[in-house]
Amino acid sequence: MISVFLFALSAAITPGPNNVMLMSSGVNFGIRRSVPLLLGVCIGFPAMFVAIGLGLGAIFQRYPQVHTVISVVGIAYLLYLAWRIARSGRPQQVKDIKPLTFLQAAAFQWVNPKAWVMATGAIAAFTTAAGNMNQQVINMTLLFILAAVPSAWTWLLFGVGLQKLLADPLWLRRFNYLMAGLLVLSMVPVILDLLS
């Protein structure tokens, strides 16, 4: 279980779509308005992990086109999120831009390429046919929650810490463009995989 926790922690703390969104939300909206996004990430991924671990993965193996459709939807949604991040600014400046809600962040996990890689990789690497698969998946889910919460808070607080540095609208706009670009770059491996 220590290996699973170290895998979960390293996967959760490294840059990816969730962490870029958390940091961007922290910069643009602060802690209070970003908590629903944080909770959606911290609860949405484990819920997805359980569903995959308890059998959804078999459906995708049997019907790979379903996985392809989810990947295409995921890419489109990530491009939309990158656009939203690029357009973000101080809340009083941009009235129609709001942080993601709990449900949006939780649902996003189903189209998040990094989440799929983490979930399927962990299930393949750390479960055994000899043991009770359901119990193994539940135990791993709890470890992912333990890793996700401090990691998500780290990225959110890092974003909040950048608020003062990015008080100048020009620097904030540059930061948002950078974060949008990083989000788009995080999709390159998925796009290349789909094209191959």
Side-chain angles (χ1 to χ4, degrees):
M1 293 318 263
I2 292 172
S3 297
V4 175
F5 180 72
L6 292 176
F7 172 82
L9 187 60
S10 65
I13 198 72
T14 54
N18 284 331
N19 293 335
V20 169
M21 289 188 311
L22 284 162
M23 185 170 59
S24 297
S25 188
V27 165
N28 291 290
F29 305 109
I31 291 175
R32 189 180 61 77
R33 294 185 64 203
S34 299
V35 166
L37 165 63
L38 182 136
L39 292 174
V41 168
C42 292
I43 294 170
F45 175 77
M48 175 192 144
F49 187 86
V50 167
I52 291 171
L54 298 182
L56 196 55
I59 293 172
F60 294 135
Q61 286 180 339
R62 187 166 183 178
Y63 304 104
Q65 62 273 24
V66 173
H67 186 267
T68 301
V69 168
I70 286 177
S71 295
V72 170
V73 169
I75 290 167
Y77 190 62
L78 280 170
L79 289 172
Y80 166 71
L81 290 175
W83 174 78
R84 277 184 63 170
I85 289 170
R87 285 195 58 224
S88 292
R90 295 275 177 247
Q92 63 271 22
Q93 295 172 331
V94 185
K95 299 279 190 243
D96 64 329
I97 301 294
K98 296 177 180 134
L100 289 182
T101 66
F102 170 82
L103 289 176
Q104 289 171 323
F108 169 70
Q109 302 316 301
W110 288 94
V111 295
N112 179 350
K114 184 180 176 186
W116 278 98
V117 169
M118 287 172 47
T120 56
I123 290 167
F126 298 110
T127 59
T128 62
N132 179 336
M133 180 63 102
N134 292 347
Q135 189 60 53
Q136 291 176 66
V137 168
I138 298 301
N139 291 343
M140 289 171 65
T141 301
L142 294 174
L143 292 174
F144 269 103
I145 292 170
L146 286 175
V149 171
S151 298
W153 274 107
T154 298
W155 282 88
L156 177 61
L157 292 174
F158 182 61
V160 169
L162 286 175
Q163 277 182 333
K164 290 180 184 169
L165 293 173
L166 299 173
D168 178 346
L170 176 63
W171 283 104
L172 179 61
R173 188 170 39 254
R174 288 177 180 165
F175 171 81
N176 287 335
Y177 288 153
L178 175 65
M179 291 299 101
L182 288 175
L183 194 54
V184 170
L185 281 175
S186 74
M187 292 182 285
V188 169
V190 178
I191 294 169
L192 293 175
D193 186 48
L194 279 174
L195 295 174
S196 65

